[in-house]
Amino acid sequence: MNIERCVGIMISKSQLCNNRSVAIFTDASLKTVNGVTSVCPGYAIYLNGVLIEQNFYILHNATVNQGELYAIMMGVYASVRYRHIGQLRLFSDSQTSIFAIRDRIFKWINNVKEDDGLLRGGDGQVILNQDRIMDVIYLVMAQNLPIEFYHLKGHINPNDANDMKKQ
């Protein structure tokens, strides 16, 4: 059995790529040309290990974190079409984005001040890009999507045992 290491847990390739689950991979890249920063967020969706859909977009004057969140939003939005297949699993190398959507949001909601309604961290600082984070959460809730969010380390070679150990 082929095993992939994911988020500190082991899952088999058959769990990831089968006819009962949809794997959504998202990422974003950053480029600055003549002082203008552009980000290219995108996603790829796999069923049974076969690419069934992909898309990307160019955002100008954006940060890489905004691009990563936009890629996740694109992937979640596209996944609505495949919800009838079964479990949706979204993978991103953006630890900041995945932890925000999956884990930290609950603490931040408790730190909202009534006077401005903004999400705040434990230190009282306003959370950046909270509009994009909340867009993802609202879409998942509105569509009642059966989706799991996973962080994968980026820029590793899955065929290199040493790189996989770092995962």
Side-chain angles (χ1 to χ4, degrees):
M1 177 172 12
N2 187 358
I3 301 290
E4 303 291 332
R5 189 172 166 127
C6 173
V7 207
I9 61 171
M10 300 295 282
I11 62 173
S12 68
K13 187 174 181 184
S14 63
Q15 288 175 300
L16 179 61
C17 299
N18 60 56
N19 63 2
R20 297 171 316 283
S21 65
V22 177
I24 306 133
F25 296 93
T26 67
D27 202 1
S29 61
L30 180 74
K31 184 169 185 162
T32 302
V33 177
N34 298 327
V36 177
T37 301
S38 298
V39 180
C40 182
Y43 68 89
I45 299 179
Y46 288 82
L47 178 64
N48 284 328
V50 176
L51 178 66
I52 59 173
E53 181 177 337
Q54 65 181 345
N55 201 354
F56 67 91
Y57 190 75
I58 304 293
L59 298 174
H60 298 290
N61 296 312
T63 66
V64 71
N65 189 261
Q66 290 169 334
E68 295 282 2
L69 286 164
Y70 196 86
I72 291 170
M73 182 67 185
M74 291 171 66
V76 170
Y77 186 78
S79 75
V80 172
R81 292 188 284 280
Y82 306 104
R83 64 178 305 139
H84 65 281
I85 293 172
Q87 188 63 47
L88 305 171
R89 293 187 172 102
L90 187 139
F91 300 88
S92 171
D93 68 350
S94 175
Q95 184 177 29
T96 300
S97 299
I98 293 298
F99 283 16
I101 292 164
R102 191 185 67 199
D103 304 324
R104 296 185 183 129
I105 188 65
F106 303 105
K107 292 178 186 172
W108 295 341
I109 288 173
N110 289 329
N111 294 332
V112 170
K113 291 187 177 182
E114 289 184 30
D115 61 336
D116 63 13
L118 297 174
L119 299 175
R120 297 178 185 280
D123 60 359
Q125 295 296 313
V126 173
I127 302 302
L128 297 175
N129 303 312
Q130 59 184 273
D131 52 341
R132 292 188 190 270
I133 294 166
M134 292 308 298
D135 285 346
V136 172
I137 291 169
Y138 289 144
L139 179 58
V140 168
M141 291 173 59
Q143 295 293 324
N144 195 24
L145 288 178
I147 192 165
E148 298 170 351
F149 293 92
Y150 294 94
H151 169 251
L152 292 175
K153 284 189 179 178
H155 312 284
I156 64 164
N157 179 351
N159 298 315
D160 182 325
N162 289 327
D163 268 3
M164 291 307 290
K165 287 178 187 174
K166 295 175 193 174
Q167 181 69 3

